[in-house]
């Protein structure tokens, strides 16, 4: 895959997972350059297909720690009005709240106090680097308009749970990095083993999409993101990840 937007390999160390942003134990962080590329492609499709360039409501139904969502708000906040995040796992939801809480100055200052306490207790260079990064994030935040955030617990395959928390037709871009591989598995407990979780998730989010929504799904090659109510706009492979961008029809 050739990068169209995030063409240069930038130094994203201030956004590293586990530095200022909290990491989900046992989960590798989603690559920031790839997240930036996918999000900008979604914006491009929204613009070229539907001629819409207003800031979007961005939703992730398998948000984990909401790490990639939080970083996107720093990198592309001018294009984001609201971020909505949900996950089936209670611990992930708590962490997502903490990470999305770093999108406002008060939340970031609380995090800086936590890091200062760790510096006093342990004196580690990694904590001192984290504090420097937090100051850099704070400067960036002051240049940006505030992003509204909402986090809730829901199964991505349960349309009722999702619709109870998100207004109909209100999600402009859905960008989700679904479970795959060794680190994270689908919580499929409500369904038969033969069920395709991606099809079920695509079904569940239909009610909160508008006719001009764009849906980007990152999975492994083994999972098929297809559904009769969606049309595929593009698909590409990056290492072990498959990225599919769809629109409802
Ligand atoms: C690869 S992780 C997402 C990490 C996220 N992109 C980040 O940057 O922090 C996938 C997430 O899907 C969640 N998950 C698994 N089954 C789910 C389900 N049925 N509904 C919603 N979330 C689910 C897991 O709890 C996990 O947090």
């Amino acid at each position: 895959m050739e990068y169209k937007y995030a063409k240069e390999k930038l130094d994203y160390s201030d956004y590293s997972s586990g530095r200022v942003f909290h990491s989900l134990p046992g989960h590798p962080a989603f690559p920031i350059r790839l997240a930036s590329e996918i999000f900008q492609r979604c914006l491009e499709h929204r613009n070229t297909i539907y001629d819409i360039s207003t800031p979007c409501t961005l939703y992730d139904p398998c948000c984990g720690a909401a790490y990639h969502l939080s970083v996107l708000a720093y990198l592309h906040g001018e294009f984001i009005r609201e971020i909505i995040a949900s996950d089936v796992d209670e611990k992930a939801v708590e962490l997502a709240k903490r990470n999305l809480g770093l999108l406002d100055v008060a939340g970031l200052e609380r995090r800086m106090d936590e890091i200062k306490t760790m510096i006093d207790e342990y004196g580690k260079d990694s904590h001192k680097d984290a504090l420097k990064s937090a100051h850099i994030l704070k400067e960036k935040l002051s240049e940006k308009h505030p992003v509204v955030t909402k986090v809730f617990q829901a199964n991505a395959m349960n349309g009722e749970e999702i619709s109870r928390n998100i207004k109909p037709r209100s999600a402009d871009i859905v960008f989700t990095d679904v479970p795959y591989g060794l680190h994270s598995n689908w919580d499929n407990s409500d369904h038969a083993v033969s069920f395709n979780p991606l099809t079920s998730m695509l079904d569940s989010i239909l009610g909160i999409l508008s006719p001009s929504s764009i849906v980007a799904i990152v999975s492994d090659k083994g999972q098929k993101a297809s559904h009769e109510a969606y049309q595929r706009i593009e698909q590409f492979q990056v290492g072990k990840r498959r990225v599919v961008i769809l629109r409802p029809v």
Side-chain angles (χ1 to χ4, degrees):
M1 187 273 299
E2 202 174 321
Y3 281 84
K4 278 165 79 177
Y5 292 99
K7 282 188 178 165
E8 288 169 57
K9 273 192 185 169
L10 301 175
D11 175 7
Y12 292 116
S13 51
D14 293 323
Y15 302 107
S16 299
S17 173
R19 188 180 278 210
V20 182
F21 291 110
H22 304 278
S23 56
L24 196 57
H27 290 256
F30 194 82
I32 296 176
R33 185 179 177 204
L34 181 58
S36 174
E37 175 73 19
I38 294 170
F39 180 66
Q40 290 180 86
R41 287 186 186 214
C42 290
L43 290 176
E44 175 205 306
H45 294 310
R46 196 167 166 251
N47 200 317
T48 52
I49 302 172
Y50 305 116
D51 195 22
I52 301 176
S53 56
T54 49
C56 67
T57 291
L58 172 63
Y59 173 48
D60 181 355
C62 295
C63 68
Y67 170 67
H68 84 260
L69 292 176
S70 308
V71 175
L72 285 175
Y74 273 94
L75 297 180
H76 302 295
E78 65 275 34
F79 300 109
I80 304 173
R81 194 179 60 78
E82 182 177 12
I83 290 181
I84 308 178
S86 62
D87 197 286
V88 75
D89 179 59
E90 199 180 340
K91 286 199 185 110
V93 169
E94 281 316 306
L95 220 46
K97 283 184 186 160
R98 292 174 71 192
N99 274 337
L100 290 170
L102 300 176
L103 304 186
D104 78 54
V105 173
L108 200 51
E109 284 176 345
R110 278 197 296 279
R111 179 66 176 139
M112 286 162 110
D113 289 341
E114 269 174 33
I115 298 170
K116 281 179 200 157
T117 306
M118 290 194 285
I119 294 174
D120 291 344
E121 279 184 24
Y122 308 108
K124 281 192 185 173
D125 286 343
S126 58
H127 296 144
K128 292 176 190 161
D129 290 342
L131 190 58
K132 279 188 210 146
S133 294
H135 279 288
I136 291 168
L137 296 193
K138 195 175 161 189
E139 268 172 44
K140 291 188 190 294
L141 210 53
S142 63
E143 299 159 10
K144 307 219 177 256
H145 70 90
V147 173
V148 178
T149 62
K150 173 170 180 153
V151 185
F152 61 94
Q153 190 174 1
N155 190 324
M157 295 180 248
N158 186 327
E160 277 176 29
E161 279 179 9
I162 292 173
S163 297
R164 264 202 300 277
N165 288 281
I166 306 180
K167 283 194 216 125
R169 301 159 71 98
S170 65
D172 302 307
I173 296 179
V174 173
F175 175 1
T176 189
D177 160 40
V178 302
Y180 47 86
L182 293 173
H183 301 284
S184 145
N185 292 307
W186 278 107
D187 180 332
N188 210 358
S189 45
D190 293 352
H191 297 288
V193 182
S194 59
F195 218 73
N196 176 350
L198 285 187
T199 307
S200 177
M201 180 184 74
L202 285 168
D203 222 37
S204 301
I205 61 172
L206 266 176
I208 53 111
L209 300 179
S210 78
S212 55
S213 298
I214 301 289
V215 177
I217 298 177
V218 183
S219 70
D220 59 354
K221 282 183 250 174
Q223 299 191 60
K224 202 156 179 254
S226 66
H227 188 293
E228 59 190 15
Y230 294 81
Q231 180 190 16
R232 192 165 80 200
I233 308 172
E234 62 171 324
Q235 174 170 306
F236 52 91
Q237 193 80 27
V238 186
K240 65 181 173 24
R241 294 183 171 88
R242 171 180 288 166
V243 182
V244 180
I245 304 186
L246 309 161
R247 65 176 179 135
V249 287

